[in-house]
Amino acid sequence: MKYIKASLFFLMLIGVNHLYAKEKIKIACIGNSITYGAFLPDRATQSYPARLQQMLGDTYEVTNFGVSGTTLLKNGNKPYWATTTYQSALKSEPNIVFIALGTNDSKLINRKHLSEFSDDYKDLIKSFQNLASKPKVILLTPITVFRIDTSGIWDKPIADIMIPAIQNRAFQQDLEIIDLHSLFKDKEALMPDKVHPNAEGANFIAKRLYELLHAKFYAFDISNGIKEQKKEKSFYGFKNYEFTFKGRQAQIVEPKNAIKGKPWVWRARFFGNEPQADIALLERGYHLVYCDVAELYGNKEAIQLWDDFYVYLQKLGLSKKAVLEGYSRGGIYIYAWASLNPKKVSCIYADNAVMDVKSWPGAFGKSKGSKKDWEIYKADFGYKTDEQAKTAKDSPMDKVKDIVKGKYPMLHIIADEDEAAPIDENTIPFAKLIKAAGGNITIIHKPGAKHHPHSLANPQPIVDFVLRATTK
């Protein structure tokens, strides 16, 4: 397969004149008051476009084209389209355009026009793509809003209507997209009026954009290698190829561009549930894959299917080592495979994970378990009685010696009040065994939380863990 270094690809995008004339790369930041830097003590130096300029240095020219109060909607109460700033942005002939609009569109006065949001967004994108400079357009989701007054700016229509529309634009027009909404889920303290970030919050946005611009991406089209009949769907703005593998549902989601080594995340179960970490890693060039082995609980059939799928993924060109991700009972699946394939794992992320089948589905402890799933588990392994199943060694808890052979780091996120997979029957004793065996495991607690929802609202700690494990 052919790979094109991002630096060369980028030069092709911005025009060869920049290569010889050493012109500055022009970045246009399109947005509302959050882009403008409203309420900052010194917006000229503290707005996120200003901070981005400081981070990028003299080879870039970042211009703040934010206008307070504006909407992306043409029929909004203050359309960005009607501003002279918008015309100035077009005339600037940028090489890169960041679009961060939508917050004001959530006001009650504008909600009646939200059915027009996607088409208006498409038109705004095209207005820049049609420029002679042929800029690279990057979409930014609105940041989280913490106001509770539903007559004004409100987070619910942002999350439920506008962000899906923005993701659909990214999918339909094959554009890069950055999820700023999740990034601010835990940053209410940085938003004095519950809408606008302070200087520290603006800096978070600038850092994320800087990270994107400096990532070493490669062009890599995995779809050409998938010979099976497949459906192409959107996974939160990214291309998701659905197909059948050995009679089982399989999915491969590709990033806009891959990073060196083609790392990938292997979701074991509940594909698409609480996907914020998966989305964040897709943004950073990781592939996301899934091969259904429900409900086999890591038995020989499940392992063989995954072994075959792993070989298949190797032929497609992905990394030799996988990031294994397991929610709930998915913990059984990832550790079953990892215990037999320790050298094929770069790291493990487990979330409210089942580490002992006697806890769930067995219900031989605090958990209510699941009688139905306990019978399925017994049938999967050929056990006739509860006693046979209870004394078996099928749980991650029983495979610690094989698990630590891989010397890969493990991250467990646990809800301290988990009623389905109680932590003192699952992750806590498992972690003690791992540490005693010389393994590397980190635990993030969620005080007061139940089994659902999984993950972290802001997935940054998960992302940081994966990046450390896979980009050595």
Side-chain angles (χ1 to χ4, degrees):
M1 295 184 181
K2 187 176 181 181
Y3 299 89
I4 305 174
K5 282 194 174 181
S7 57
L8 295 177
F9 184 60
F10 181 70
L11 286 171
M12 291 168 62
L13 286 173
I14 66 175
V16 293
N17 288 338
H18 290 283
L19 181 62
Y20 299 104
K22 295 183 179 180
E23 297 176 15
K24 290 185 177 182
I25 299 169
K26 292 187 288 186
I27 299 178
C29 294
I30 309 303
N32 45 45
S33 56
I34 294 170
T35 300
Y36 178 79
F39 308 118
L40 293 174
D42 183 6
R43 60 169 292 270
T45 61
Q46 295 176 329
S47 67
Y48 76 77
R51 288 293 296 127
L52 182 60
Q53 176 70 79
Q54 294 161 30
M55 293 175 187
L56 291 172
D58 294 339
T59 55
Y60 289 80
E61 180 183 300
V62 183
T63 304
N64 187 336
F65 290 108
V67 183
S68 294
T70 53
T71 66
L72 183 138
L73 288 166
K74 295 176 182 178
N75 287 319
N77 67 317
K78 188 179 178 180
Y80 187 81
W81 303 82
T83 66
T84 57
T85 302
Y86 169 55
Q87 298 303 322
S88 296
L90 294 173
K91 291 175 183 177
S92 74
E93 292 285 340
N95 308 117
I96 301 171
V97 177
F98 288 111
I99 299 178
L101 284 166
T103 302
N104 293 303
D105 302 73
S106 70
K107 294 177 181 177
L108 180 60
I109 193 174
N110 295 318
R111 286 176 214 155
K112 61 185 176 183
H113 298 297
L114 286 181
S115 61
E116 304 160 17
F117 187 86
S118 181
D119 287 342
D120 288 353
Y121 211 120
K122 180 180 180 180
D123 290 345
L124 184 65
I125 292 166
K126 284 189 173 181
S127 72
F128 285 101
Q129 289 180 327
N130 290 336
L131 295 175
S133 59
K134 300 298 179 185
K136 181 178 185 179
V137 178
I138 301 169
L139 313 184
L140 309 180
T141 67
I143 65 175
T144 307
V145 170
F146 294 97
R147 282 186 182 172
I148 59 175
D149 180 5
T150 62
S151 65
I153 293 173
W154 188 27
D155 198 63
K156 185 173 176 56
I158 291 174
D160 294 351
I161 300 174
M162 281 176 275
I163 289 179
I166 295 169
Q167 291 167 337
N168 185 60
R169 284 290 112 231
F171 172 69
Q172 294 291 340
Q173 296 176 253
D174 197 22
L175 301 174
E176 290 185 67
I177 179 171
I178 300 297
D179 177 17
L180 295 182
H181 194 261
S182 294
L183 185 65
F184 276 81
K185 279 281 191 177
D186 60 351
K187 291 182 170 55
E188 184 175 357
L190 303 184
M191 302 172 69
D193 68 348
K194 312 300 183 185
V195 175
H196 300 89
N198 61 12
E200 185 179 352
N203 196 58
F204 269 107
I205 299 175
K207 285 173 64 178
R208 182 67 192 94
L209 304 189
Y210 176 85
E211 178 187 29
L212 173 71
L213 293 174
H214 275 69
K216 295 181 179 179
F217 289 122
Y218 294 77
F220 173 51
D221 185 359
I222 201 169
S223 65
N224 291 331
I226 303 173
K227 303 304 181 184
E228 293 79 2
Q229 185 176 358
K230 57 185 180 291
K231 294 181 180 179
E232 184 178 315
K233 300 175 67 176
S234 174
F235 183 86
Y236 301 95
F238 297 88
K239 289 181 181 179
N240 179 14
Y241 302 105
E242 294 184 352
F243 56 99
T244 300
F245 179 81
K246 295 186 179 295
R248 290 275 178 162
Q249 181 191 28
Q251 302 188 57
I252 298 177
V253 187
E254 67 175 356
K256 302 299 178 178
N257 293 289
I259 57 173
K260 185 178 181 180
K262 291 88 69 184
W264 48 291
V265 178
W266 194 342
R267 171 68 83 97
R269 198 68 172 78
F270 309 112
F271 187 80
N273 177 264
E274 295 295 329
Q276 48 269 31
D278 296 336
I279 293 169
L281 289 166
L282 283 163
E283 289 176 7
R284 289 163 173 83
Y286 288 66
H287 285 73
L288 173 66
V289 311
Y290 175 79
C291 180
D292 175 40
V293 287
E295 200 69 76
L296 298 175
Y297 289 103
N299 68 359
K300 288 182 180 179
E301 182 182 353
I303 296 299
Q304 187 60 60
L305 279 165
W306 270 27
D307 283 346
D308 293 343
F309 194 55
Y310 174 84
V311 172
Y312 179 84
L313 296 172
Q314 293 302 289
K315 292 179 180 178
L316 292 180
L318 295 183
S319 169
K320 292 182 178 180
K321 291 191 174 185
V323 176
L324 296 180
E325 178 185 31
Y327 283 13
S328 193
R329 73 190 74 175
I332 300 171
Y333 293 83
I334 58 176
Y335 279 111
W337 193 79
S339 67
L340 296 172
N341 298 276
K343 301 301 181 183
K344 298 175 183 176
V345 180
S346 59
C347 64
I348 282 180
Y349 158 45
D351 198 292
N352 291 346
V354 176
M355 294 290 101
D356 190 342
V357 294
K358 294 190 296 295
S359 174
W360 191 97
F364 296 103
K366 293 181 179 179
S367 174
K368 292 181 180 180
S370 168
K371 290 183 180 180
K372 176 183 176 181
D373 286 289
W374 178 247
E375 294 304 317
I376 292 173
Y377 159 69
K378 286 163 58 180
D380 285 342
F381 286 85
Y383 302 133
K384 301 298 183 182
T385 67
D386 285 353
E387 196 59 32
Q388 283 182 315
K390 285 171 65 177
T391 57
K393 302 295 181 182
D394 303 320
S395 299
M397 203 87 74
D398 305 313
K399 302 173 182 179
V400 169
K401 288 184 180 179
D402 292 322
I403 290 168
V404 298
K405 289 178 182 177
K407 298 181 180 180
Y408 45 77
M410 292 160 266
L411 172 66
H412 278 232
I413 293 178
I414 57 175
D416 286 352
E417 303 300 324
D418 192 331
E419 75 288 2
I423 62 174
D424 56 353
E425 294 178 357
N426 291 278
T427 286
I428 298 301
F430 174 76
K432 289 180 179 178
L433 293 172
I434 289 289
K435 290 177 181 178
N440 178 1
I441 186 168
T442 299
I443 298 176
I444 296 178
H445 289 261
K446 295 197 292 186
K450 299 288 188 180
H451 190 67
H452 294 287
H454 288 281
S455 192
L456 299 173
N458 177 0
Q460 194 61 49
I462 303 166
V463 172
D464 290 341
F465 165 79
V466 173
L467 293 179
R468 285 194 301 269
T470 56
T471 56
K472 298 177 181 178

